[in-house]
Amino acid sequence: MASSVGGDAGEGEWLKVAELRAMAEAQDPRVKEVDNMTLRRFLRARDQDVSKASSMLVKFVAWRREAVPGGVMPADQVRGELSHDKARMGGVDRTGRPIVFAFPAKHFSANRDMAEHKRFLIYLLDKICARIPRGQEKFMCVVDLKGWGYPNSDVRAYIAAIEIMQSYYPERLGKALMVHVPYIFMKAWKMVYPFIDANTRAKIMFVEDKNLDETLRREMEESQVPEIYGGKLPLTPLADE
């Protein structure tokens, strides 16, 4: 379970960051390439436990080097996923967090390639994290399940997304709004839920259709409300990023 500590770090936390760096670099010298803000997120994700954070961080460095050897996930490695237009970039919420919109009804388990799916998740998370402005560390996600049905259900893919985000992008998700949720989706959700840690669960909000308009306008300025929800902001396809 991650710490609820947010905002600026105190002197004590920065001392722990230094301790974390020393411990992790002793296990893998490549940790020196990781900045202090990232180290702080790993520390917070493990409730300020330096040993646990170090283990998590070392695993991340090894994973990143293998999963993204060039440092950036090339678009040509996720062309299939991009062609389905499963996610788009929006504006920002009232706290300045960038917003990504996901459309699971455009995902079909029958033609999913797990290796490309995982590469796409990295591509997507890297894109939204690159949009996070200075002074902010998190992003917001709106998961729109309109039109979702059994052909779209893919528990393995959902679990992969959760594990990648929780293990390798800790303390990046600020809030997730689940909108236009059909009743049948809850069967898949019950299977996925045990894989979501307590900290992430606290950030997920299911929004009833009748409350959608009010919720969106509470979370974002009118100018940031997307066209598809009655606003004026066009969403940007990932392929155009």
Side-chain angles (χ1 to χ4, degrees):
M1 179 177 175
S3 171
S4 61
V5 177
D8 295 334
E11 182 180 354
E13 188 173 35
W14 285 124
L15 288 173
K16 282 199 169 187
V17 167
E19 184 181 349
L20 169 58
R21 179 175 293 284
M23 182 179 293
E25 284 188 11
Q27 297 177 68
D28 187 340
R30 295 173 298 185
V31 171
K32 67 174 181 288
E33 301 169 9
V34 183
D35 63 76
N36 282 338
M37 296 298 285
T38 299
L39 264 65
R40 186 177 72 169
R41 286 192 294 274
F42 276 84
L43 182 63
R44 290 179 172 182
R46 288 296 177 264
D47 285 326
Q48 307 292 316
D49 186 310
V50 175
S51 181
K52 291 181 179 179
S54 178
S55 176
M56 185 184 188
L57 180 61
V58 169
K59 288 178 182 178
F60 160 74
V61 170
W63 167 83
R64 184 77 190 186
R65 187 155 292 225
E66 180 180 348
V68 196
V72 177
M73 181 61 69
D76 61 9
Q77 290 194 23
V78 293
R79 287 296 179 197
E81 292 285 303
L82 288 174
S83 69
H84 296 297
D85 198 21
K86 298 178 182 180
R88 290 195 169 201
M89 296 297 182
V92 297
D93 69 6
R94 290 182 182 272
T95 68
R97 298 179 296 201
I99 309 172
V100 59
F101 292 80
F103 305 98
K106 295 184 178 183
H107 173 93
F108 293 90
S109 58
N111 58 17
R112 179 260 295 146
D113 177 275
M114 183 59 81
E116 184 175 357
H117 173 68
K118 289 182 177 181
R119 292 196 298 271
F120 174 71
L121 292 170
I122 297 168
Y123 182 88
L124 174 61
L125 288 166
D126 282 355
K127 285 288 187 182
I128 189 63
C129 288
R131 281 182 163 230
I132 298 174
R134 184 179 296 276
Q136 180 58 265
E137 292 189 76
K138 303 178 186 292
F139 66 85
M140 180 177 175
C141 180
V142 176
V143 181
D144 191 331
L145 289 144
K146 188 173 184 178
W148 188 94
Y150 286 122
N152 310 116
S153 183
D154 194 346
V155 172
R156 285 187 62 211
Y158 302 156
I159 292 173
I162 291 165
E163 291 181 340
I164 287 175
M165 186 178 67
Q166 291 181 163
S167 299
Y168 308 123
Y169 296 83
E171 296 296 298
R172 281 304 203 182
L173 178 66
K175 179 177 287 188
L177 300 181
M178 309 290 286
V179 309
H180 294 140
V181 183
Y183 178 75
I184 57 173
F185 173 75
M186 300 314 295
K187 290 185 177 180
W189 181 251
K190 287 180 180 178
M191 289 185 277
V192 172
Y193 190 77
F195 294 89
I196 306 174
D197 66 33
N199 182 57
T200 303
R201 290 176 186 176
K203 298 172 181 177
I204 299 172
M205 176 182 177
F206 282 79
V207 182
E208 293 184 36
D209 289 354
K210 65 181 181 180
N211 299 325
L212 179 57
D213 187 71
E214 176 188 353
T215 301
L216 291 177
R217 282 161 175 76
R218 183 174 64 245
E219 296 292 340
M220 58 194 81
E221 298 284 351
E222 184 67 33
S223 64
Q224 301 299 300
V225 177
E227 293 173 333
I228 59 173
Y229 303 115
K232 298 181 179 180
L233 186 74
L235 297 180
T236 305
L238 281 185
D240 295 344
E241 279 283 298

